[in-house]
Amino acid sequence: MRSLPWTALNLGRKLKFHQLQVFDRVLETGSLVRAANETGLTQPAVSKIVHEMEACFEGPLFVRSNRGVQPTELGELLGHRVKSLMAELRYLTDEVNAFSAGTSGHVIVGTLISASADLLPRTIALLKSQTPGVLVTVREATTAQLFPALASGDLDIVVGRLPERALPVAKAFALTHEILFNESLCVVGGKRHWTQPPERVPLAELREGAWILPVPESPSRLAAERLFHDAGLALPEDVVESLSVLTNIGLMLETPRVALMPRVAATPFVEAGLLRVLADTMPGSFGDVGYSLRSDKQPSPACERFVACLREVCGLKP
C-alpha cells in the first residue's frame, strides 16, 4: 500500500503512454483479444500491460469473464481521464498532419436519426471528394449517450436534432449548439401497404393503427407527444419504440405500421419508392437540426473541414 499520494511527476514517470493506449482499447472493446488485434500486440502482451497498470494503481482495473472484460470502479475512473488523453493525442496527430499536408486527419461524428439518412451522407461525400485522406468514423446513438461522449472527447461533433434550450441536457455540458435548419415531422408508411393515391390521411385516423415512436428518453419523443397533444389526441396504443432507422424501415416494409420521421430523414426512402408520406405536420414541428461542439476546445482541422462541408450542404456560409 502506498504511504504517499501520487503526484503528476512521479505518476508520469511510472506510466508509459503506450500503456494508456492499450488500456483505452481494452476499455473500448471489452476484449483483450480485440484490443490486441487493434494495437498489433499479442494477447499475452496486452494482459501483461493491464497487470502492470493494476500493480501501479494497486487495484483491479477489469473484471474478467468468458464474455470479455468489464471495468471496475477504479477502471471507470481511470478510463474517463484516459479517453480525454486519447482525444488530445488524436487532435495533436491531426494538427501535425494538417500542418504538413492539410489533407489528413480523423473526425468522429455522433449522429441522430434526423441526420443519418440524408444530411450526414451528403456531408461525408463532399468531405471525401475534397480530402480523401480524412478518416470519418460515425457513431449513432441517443442524445443522452452522444453529449457525454462529446464532452469527454470521445466524439468530435454531434449532428442531429438540437435539444430544446429548456431541457437539462442542453446545459449539462460545456457545448455549443449551432442551428442549420428548422425541420418538420411527417407520418410515413411502407409503400406496398399504403397503395391508395398520395392524398394525406388525417392524423386521428392514423392514430388507430400500429405505430413506431421515438424512445421516451429521446428529445424527438417530446416533439411526437406534443404533436398528438396539440391535435387533441392520445398517443397510439399499439406502439414500438425505436430510434433505429434500419429497424423502423424494415418494420414498415413488412407491416402496415407507420412512423413519425423528420422530413429530411424520410425523403431518401420516399424517393427510392420504399415509403409513402401519409400526413404532414406543422412547419418546425420536429425542431432545430444542427451540430454541437465542445465549447472548451478548438476543433481539430479534420473536424473544421467537416463543419465547413456540413454548412455547405445546407447552403450556409462556412
Side-chain angles (χ1 to χ4, degrees):
M1 185 69 66
R2 288 181 54 82
S3 59
L4 297 174
W6 285 111
T7 66
L9 184 60
N10 57 29
L11 184 58
R13 288 172 176 170
K14 184 73 173 179
L15 282 176
K16 299 180 179 66
F17 202 88
H18 181 59
Q19 291 175 315
L20 299 179
Q21 289 178 301
V22 172
F23 170 83
D24 177 67
R25 290 296 85 208
V26 175
L27 186 68
E28 183 70 22
T29 62
S31 166
L32 297 176
V33 174
R34 288 198 291 271
N37 291 336
E38 290 191 12
T39 56
L41 300 173
T42 63
Q43 182 180 344
V46 170
S47 296
K48 180 182 178 182
I49 288 173
V50 171
H51 286 308
E52 289 172 347
M53 292 186 65
E54 289 177 329
C56 174
F57 288 101
E58 299 177 346
L61 300 177
F62 296 98
V63 176
R64 297 156 178 82
S65 70
N66 56 6
R67 292 180 296 178
V69 296
Q70 293 292 328
T72 62
E73 185 176 357
L74 176 60
E76 289 183 349
L77 183 150
L78 181 61
H80 178 72
R81 294 301 179 186
V82 168
K83 282 185 178 295
S84 295
L85 286 173
M86 293 304 107
E88 291 299 328
L89 180 62
R90 285 194 296 107
Y91 298 155
L92 175 61
T93 303
D94 288 352
E95 288 170 2
V96 170
N97 288 332
F99 180 81
S100 301
T103 57
S104 62
H106 185 193
V107 56
I108 304 178
V109 185
T111 185
L112 300 152
I113 183 176
S114 52
S116 59
D118 180 70
L119 176 60
L120 195 55
R122 290 169 59 201
T123 299
I124 294 173
L126 179 59
L127 176 69
K128 296 297 280 187
S129 71
Q130 296 176 354
T131 52
V134 173
L135 172 64
V136 180
T137 300
V138 178
R139 297 177 182 170
E140 188 174 78
T142 65
T143 299
Q145 296 167 318
L146 292 175
F147 282 180
L150 176 61
S152 70
D154 206 27
L155 297 174
D156 295 315
I157 185 172
V158 170
V159 182
R161 183 185 187 276
L162 299 178
E164 297 181 23
R165 293 182 180 180
L167 294 178
V169 70
K171 303 175 182 178
F173 306 99
L175 306 176
T176 57
H177 308 285
E178 296 292 335
I179 299 173
L180 294 172
F181 56 87
N182 194 259
E183 179 62 322
S184 297
L185 288 167
C186 60
V187 183
V188 294
K191 193 170 183 179
R192 70 188 180 97
H193 298 289
W194 297 87
T195 56
Q196 76 273 21
E199 287 82 6
R200 300 305 191 240
V201 183
L203 184 62
E205 180 179 332
L206 290 169
R207 179 205 166 273
E208 302 302 320
W211 279 75
I212 304 169
L213 292 178
V215 295
E217 62 269 22
S218 167
S220 56
R221 176 60 176 262
L222 184 62
E225 293 177 353
R226 185 183 296 124
L227 176 69
F228 284 98
H229 179 270
D230 291 346
L233 300 171
L235 288 177
E237 296 179 1
D238 182 355
V239 171
V240 172
E241 296 177 336
S242 169
L243 284 180
S244 169
V245 175
L246 289 178
T247 300
N248 296 352
I249 297 299
L251 277 171
M252 287 186 283
L253 293 180
E254 291 296 322
T255 70
R257 193 172 291 273
V258 301
L260 275 171
M261 291 183 69
R263 169 69 70 168
V264 70
T267 296
F269 301 104
V270 172
E271 293 177 347
L274 298 176
L275 301 181
R276 168 165 285 165
V277 176
L278 305 174
D280 289 304
T281 64
M282 294 294 292
S285 57
F286 182 66
D288 296 323
V289 174
Y291 61 92
S292 303
L293 297 166
R294 291 176 65 177
S295 58
D296 58 347
K297 291 289 183 181
Q298 179 71 21
S300 69
C303 187
E304 288 179 337
R305 284 181 176 272
F306 179 87
V307 169
C309 291
L310 189 62
R311 297 182 65 85
E312 183 175 342
V313 164
C314 294
L316 302 175
K317 294 181 179 180

